[in-house]
């Protein structure tokens, strides 16, 4: 992080935690995207009427592979329902606190029902590619939804822990076979009294490749990012933990996957053959 005597970082530089990004074009949308942060503290305030429908309309405006639209979203507002989902998703309290919890579904079931209605077997749905399309569709739609929510003053945080116990989540949401709750999104009015800062991301030298993939300078760039993220974490009361240590621990083995190491078998049991 920068010294307090230094000039504040621009929005693009703030995204990386260090100055030096070449100047480029900007717009209100770009500024809003660069200012993204995850909010885990929400006010006790309901969403405006029509906000949910507007957010979903923005989600529906995302690109979709071959216009297949293999996603759905379950909007959960009932406190008891949110409580049960929070328990299944690692007992994360902000799910209970948020006025809206969106469960994003990789959904091949709609096409499956269409095939049944037309007496046509859709063998293409059995393949891993179709499931990947559904996951991508759900992710694109959800990102549009979050940007829309942010544009009207709301905040949110994604919840990957919805995948910790897929069969139980599917039962709570009454999902049919071939429908999978890929992740959640807690949405609400951010509590501005609670600290929520822009978390620095990996430098562009690690993620932006030109013409071909390159690894030159990777070790030094990761080490520099470790210092930036450790400073950010320390400043936000999370201890001086660097990115490398966190990632190596995160994928060290099946025990670090929060029960998701059996995901392939779980998905097959939920109607996805994944051929």
């Amino acid at each position: 992080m920068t010294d307090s005597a230094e000039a504040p970082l621009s929005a693009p530089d703030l995204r990386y935690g260090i100055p030096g990004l070449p100047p480029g074009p900007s717009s209100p949308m770009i500024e809003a995207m660069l200012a993204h942060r995850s909010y885990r503290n929400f006010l006790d305030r309901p969403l405006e009427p029509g906000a949910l429908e507007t957010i979903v309309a923005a989600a529906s405006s995302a690109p979709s592979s071959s216009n297949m639209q293999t996603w759905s979203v379950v909007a959960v507002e009932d406190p008891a329902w949110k409580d049960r989902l929070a328990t299944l998703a690692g007992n994360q309290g902000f799910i209970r606190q948020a006025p809206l919890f969106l469960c994003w579904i990789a959904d091949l079931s709609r096409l499956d029902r269409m095939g049944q209605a037309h007496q046509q077997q859709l063998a293409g749905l059995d393949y891993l590619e179709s499931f990947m399309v559904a996951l991508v569709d759900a992710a694109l739609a959800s990102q549009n939804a979050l940007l829309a929510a942010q544009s009207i003053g709301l905040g949110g945080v994604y919840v990957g822990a919805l995948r910790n116990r897929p069969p139980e989540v599917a039962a709570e949401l009454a999902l049919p076979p071939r429908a999978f709750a890929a992740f959640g999104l807690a949405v609400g009015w951010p509590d501005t009294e609670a600290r929520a800062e822009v978390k620095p991301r990996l430098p562009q030298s690690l993620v932006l490749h030109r013409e071909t993939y390159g690894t030159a300078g990777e070790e030094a760039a990761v080490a520099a990012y470790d210092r930036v993220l450790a400073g950010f974490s320390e400043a936000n009361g999370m201890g001086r933990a660097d990115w490398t240590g966190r990632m190596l621990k995160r994928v060290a083995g099946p025990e670090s996957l929060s029960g998701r190491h059996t995901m392939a078998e779980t998905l097959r049991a939920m109607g996805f053959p994944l051929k």
Side-chain angles (χ1 to χ4, degrees), residues 125-126 177-178 266-273:
L125 295 180
D126 293 347
R178 296 185 187 260
T266 298
L267 286 169
R268 291 190 176 98
M270 296 176 70
F272 299 94

Side-chain angles (χ1 to χ4, degrees), residues 1 5-6 42 54 128 133-134 149 170 172 188 191 202 214 217 251 253:
M1 307 300 288
E6 298 176 356
F42 302 101
T54 299
L128 176 61
V133 166
E172 280 293 337
D191 181 355
L202 287 169
V251 293

Side-chain angles (χ1 to χ4, degrees), residues 4 12 25 29 60 65 71 88 144 168 172 201 203 229 260 272:
S4 58
M29 178 176 288
S60 295
S65 179
W71 66 274
L88 292 172
N144 261 28
E168 292 94 330
E172 280 293 337
R201 298 298 200 227
L229 194 62
R260 304 176 213 173
F272 299 94

Side-chain angles (χ1 to χ4, degrees), residues 16 202-209 214-218 220-222:
Y16 298 106
L202 287 169
Q204 288 195 6
S205 63
L206 288 171
V207 300
L208 172 61
H209 305 271
T215 60
E218 183 175 81
V222 169

Side-chain angles (χ1 to χ4, degrees), residues 72-225:
S72 293
V73 61
V74 179
V76 181
E77 298 173 284
D78 180 85
W81 237 297
K82 286 188 295 178
D83 179 65
R84 292 194 296 272
L85 289 169
T87 299
L88 292 172
N91 205 33
Q92 300 186 74
F94 59 81
I95 297 174
R96 301 182 178 95
Q97 187 185 38
L100 175 65
F101 187 55
L102 298 174
C103 302
W104 296 91
I105 313 301
D107 191 359
L108 298 180
S109 73
R110 186 163 43 244
L111 291 177
D112 188 42
R113 290 190 296 275
M114 288 170 56
Q116 294 177 33
H118 290 269
Q119 293 81 49
Q120 184 175 343
Q121 183 178 4
L122 303 180
L125 295 180
D126 293 347
Y127 288 84
L128 176 61
E129 164 64 9
S130 293
F131 182 68
M132 291 174 64
V133 166
L135 283 177
V136 171
D137 271 5
L140 293 174
S142 75
Q143 183 65 7
N144 261 28
L146 179 57
L147 290 172
Q150 290 178 167
S151 75
I152 57 176
L154 299 169
V157 58
Y158 282 109
V159 182
L162 206 63
R163 298 191 300 278
N164 286 2
R165 296 164 67 180
E168 292 94 330
V169 170
E172 280 293 337
L173 302 178
L175 299 183
R178 296 185 187 260
F180 172 70
F183 49 86
L185 177 62
V187 179
W189 298 101
D191 181 355
T192 56
E193 297 297 319
R195 188 163 185 164
E197 295 190 9
V198 175
K199 181 180 289 186
R201 298 298 200 227
L202 287 169
Q204 288 195 6
S205 63
L206 288 171
V207 300
L208 172 61
H209 305 271
R210 299 181 184 273
E211 277 58 71
T212 60
Y213 194 105
T215 60
E218 183 175 81
E219 185 174 349
V222 169
Y225 179 62

